């Protein structure tokens, strides 16, 4: 396994995920500079970096995609009517700004282009994801605190 030095960028994470998937590996761990570590596990499991305690949700640090939800996501891609919102990065989906706050959007909510509709946490950074569409939230395809992959369907806005 080749060592990677420096910070882990999105491209590196995506390559690691592809290596795990293409080679049907159980897990791959890369350590950089002796203190930066990332682990990608097979079967759609990702080890999430720890979040500050003040905003950490009550979920385990190793998150697995529920098989039924993954299948629902795949079938939604095939039969979507509306606009598919996809994850722009690998990370963890959060529906609300913090565990004690209401979600950004719920089923049936009206959204406008530019409204924040979710957070994807990646590499300890909270990335606010804004809607690219006007419409109503027809379906949310992932659970709060679930690991998501790059380009994975997250939400349908109609």
């Amino acid at each position: 396994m080749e060592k990677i030095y420096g910070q882990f960028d999105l491209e590196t994470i995506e390559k690691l995920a592809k290596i795990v998937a293409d080679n049907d590996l159980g897990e791959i761990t890369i350590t950089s500079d002796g203190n930066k570590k990332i682990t990608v596990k097979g079967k759609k499991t990702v080890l999430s970096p720890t979040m500050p305690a003040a905003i950490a949700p009550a979920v385990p640090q190793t998150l697995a995609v529920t098989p039924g939800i993954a299948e629902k996501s795949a079938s939604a891609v095939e039969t979507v009517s509306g606009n598919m919102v996809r994850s722009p990065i690998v990370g963890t989906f959060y529906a609300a700004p913090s565990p004690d706050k209401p979600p950004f959007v719920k089923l049936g909510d009206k959204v406008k282009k530019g409204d924040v509709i979710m957070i994807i946490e990646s590499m300890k950074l909270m990335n606010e994801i804004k809607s690219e569409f006007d419409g109503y939230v027809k379906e949310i395809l992932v659970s709060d605190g679930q690991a998501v992959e790059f380009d994975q369907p997250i939400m349908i806005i109609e």
Side-chain angles (χ1 to χ4, degrees):
M1 180 172 21
E2 182 178 321
K3 291 184 179 181
I4 299 174
Y5 296 95
Q7 291 186 341
F8 299 110
D9 60 338
L10 178 60
E11 183 178 54
T12 301
I13 296 168
E14 290 172 347
K15 286 180 182 178
L16 290 173
K18 183 167 177 34
I19 289 168
V20 170
D22 290 350
N23 296 295
D24 198 28
L25 300 175
E27 169 179 327
I28 188 169
T29 300
I30 304 294
T31 303
S32 172
D33 298 331
N35 63 355
K36 295 176 185 165
K37 179 178 176 180
I38 184 169
T39 299
V40 179
K41 295 185 178 186
K43 306 277 189 213
K44 307 230 188 266
T45 303
V46 178
L47 182 61
S48 172
T50 55
M51 296 174 56
I55 59 171
V59 296
Q61 290 303 308
T62 301
L63 302 170
V65 176
T66 306
I69 292 175
E71 292 166 11
K72 185 177 180 182
S73 296
S75 67
V77 172
E78 297 166 8
T79 61
V80 66
S81 69
N83 297 302
M84 182 70 64
V85 178
R86 297 176 178 273
S87 177
I89 56 177
V90 173
T92 304
F93 167 82
Y94 294 109
S98 67
D100 59 335
K101 301 284 182 184
F104 291 107
V105 295
K106 302 181 297 283
L107 291 178
D109 282 357
K110 184 175 184 175
V111 295
K112 293 185 179 185
K113 186 175 182 176
D115 288 351
V116 175
I117 56 175
M118 71 183 91
I119 289 177
I120 303 288
E121 181 264 330
S122 180
M123 308 266 319
K124 297 184 182 179
L125 295 175
M126 299 299 176
N127 301 283
E128 290 186 341
I129 308 302
K130 297 179 180 180
S131 176
E132 297 177 9
F133 314 105
D134 290 333
Y136 293 89
V137 178
K138 178 180 178 184
E139 196 166 353
I140 300 174
L141 305 169
V142 294
S143 303
D144 192 46
Q146 179 179 325
V148 294
E149 297 179 16
F150 172 74
D151 206 35
Q152 177 178 341
I154 304 253
M155 194 177 295
I156 300 172
I157 298 177
E158 190 169 63

